[in-house]
Amino acid sequence: MSIQKDALSRLVSLFAALSLILAACGDAENPRAEPTNARSRITAAPQEASPAPAASPEEPAPTDDGMRPTREVLVERDVKGLGVKDERVLEAMRDVPRHLFVPEEQRSRAYENRPLPIGFGQTISQPYIVGLMSELLDVQPGEKVLEIGTGSGYQAAILAELTDKVWSIEIIPELASRSRSTLRRLGYDVTVRQADGYLGWPENGPYDGIIVTAAPDHIPQPLVQQLAEGGTMVLPVGAPGSYQTLWRVTKRNGQTVSENITDVAFVPLVRNRR
Ligand code: SAH
């Protein structure tokens, strides 16, 4: 009996010592401090996350950021539901945490099917349009893709889920550096360059896919030249300020074939910044 009592009091003092150590570490209230691993940070970030269980820091689940169920609803209703069928694109959209690509004050609206402001007068595209354009681009694993208009980096992340060779050009320096760091922090291997995307990026071409996410008023010839034989370019073309036409341009035997897909509304492709 006294042996048991002795063991009990030892156990009590052991607990007391342990809680002292925890308190001294300065994180007694939140012993699960934010992990430094980039992929785990997706799990830790959303404040407004629905009450899905947090992934264990030992086994970070890259896509289990608590918002996945919300994304699944968006993809089912507003992307698949509006006609996008490519299962690889749909899965990429279920995986990429769109809320982490928008400014903090827009996060609560990140899973609505609408474009959102990202600063500097620019917007992240509507999820349905991202799905549609990605499907039209038809990117296969290992293919080379160039995006014009990195913006938030979200479309680039979707492309990076589909192939490991993604380049993206953004003309606004602050957006180029912000999207570069968002993509890197979330573990996406995308090379972002600050430049005028009208001219493309000839050094890495030709590209199997080119996607333009700002609207020029004509099809940029440098981009046509950098499209590989058999490649596809998807772009909005039209005057700024109203609706433009979304085109799919394919190159066959050196000739381009352009198909008019639908009406869209994009910010203009600008030429005068460097
Ligand atoms: N794809 C983006 C949305 C882009 S909005 C996303 O997923 O968030 C269009 C972007 O094109 C803006 O960031 C704008 O600054 C950029 N842009 C406009 N003209 C450009 C040009 N000539 N070259 C490169 N980027 C350009």
Side-chain angles (χ1 to χ4, degrees):
M1 194 69 173
S2 73
I3 293 171
Q4 273 181 0
K5 258 191 190 167
D6 196 33
L8 194 65
S9 73
R10 268 200 220 159
L11 211 62
V12 167
S13 21
L14 191 67
F15 268 115
L18 263 176
S19 37
L20 269 178
I21 291 167
L22 273 180
C25 289
D27 209 7
E29 268 184 24
N30 178 22
R32 215 185 246 195
E34 185 179 337
T36 49
N37 171 299
R39 281 301 205 170
S40 324
R41 202 169 298 142
I42 304 176
T43 312
Q47 295 301 309
E48 67 279 29
S50 54
S56 113
E58 295 81 37
E59 280 177 68
T63 56
D64 183 11
D65 57 338
M67 297 305 281
R68 189 175 165 104
T70 315
R71 273 199 300 283
E72 281 173 354
V73 171
L74 170 83
V75 170
E76 198 60 30
R77 189 189 53 205
D78 297 319
V79 186
K80 191 174 179 178
L82 293 180
V84 174
K85 294 183 182 68
D86 187 330
E87 193 44 50
R88 291 181 64 230
V89 169
L90 296 171
E91 193 56 17
M93 295 190 74
R94 290 182 195 112
D95 282 347
V96 177
R98 188 173 188 254
H99 63 288
L100 300 183
F101 289 84
V102 300
E104 200 125 349
E105 64 275 13
Q106 298 295 340
R107 283 196 181 159
S108 61
R109 303 166 78 198
Y111 295 113
E112 294 172 21
N113 187 25
R114 58 167 76 192
L116 293 172
I118 55 170
F120 307 94
Q122 308 304 321
T123 53
I124 180 174
S125 305
Q126 181 189 353
Y128 165 64
I129 293 295
V130 171
L132 174 65
M133 289 177 79
S134 305
E135 179 171 68
L136 290 167
L137 202 62
D138 194 22
V139 182
Q140 299 303 314
E143 287 188 342
K144 292 165 83 168
V145 177
L146 175 67
E147 179 193 27
I148 310 304
T150 324
S152 67
Y154 175 70
Q155 171 76 72
I158 298 288
L159 298 171
E161 294 272 353
L162 302 171
T163 180
D164 58 354
K165 297 186 185 68
V166 183
W167 290 268
S168 187
I169 306 179
E170 169 56 52
I171 202 165
I172 298 178
E174 293 86 345
L175 288 178
S177 71
R178 194 210 285 162
S179 59
R180 193 181 288 126
S181 70
T182 306
L183 287 161
R184 189 181 305 140
R185 184 166 54 88
L186 298 179
Y188 290 106
D189 185 14
V190 175
T191 313
V192 178
R193 171 194 217 181
Q194 188 269 314
D196 177 2
Y198 182 93
L199 303 169
W201 196 337
E203 294 85 340
N204 305 312
Y207 302 96
D208 303 294
I210 299 180
I211 182 170
V212 185
T213 64
D217 60 7
H218 61 274
I219 298 179
Q221 278 314 297
L223 299 182
V224 173
Q225 279 156 17
Q226 290 166 42
L227 196 59
E229 177 58 35
T232 302
M233 172 156 66
V234 177
L235 79 169
V237 180
S242 67
Y243 288 96
Q244 303 94 29
T245 303
L246 186 66
W247 293 91
R248 171 167 57 188
V249 177
T250 42
K251 198 185 250 188
R252 302 250 182 275
N253 305 319
Q255 303 288 310
T256 54
V257 178
S258 303
E259 295 162 76
N260 172 338
I261 305 294
T262 185
D263 284 349
V264 285
F266 274 82
V267 295
L269 184 107
V270 296
R271 297 297 321 278
N272 55 356
R273 301 171 80 136
R274 261 161 213 264

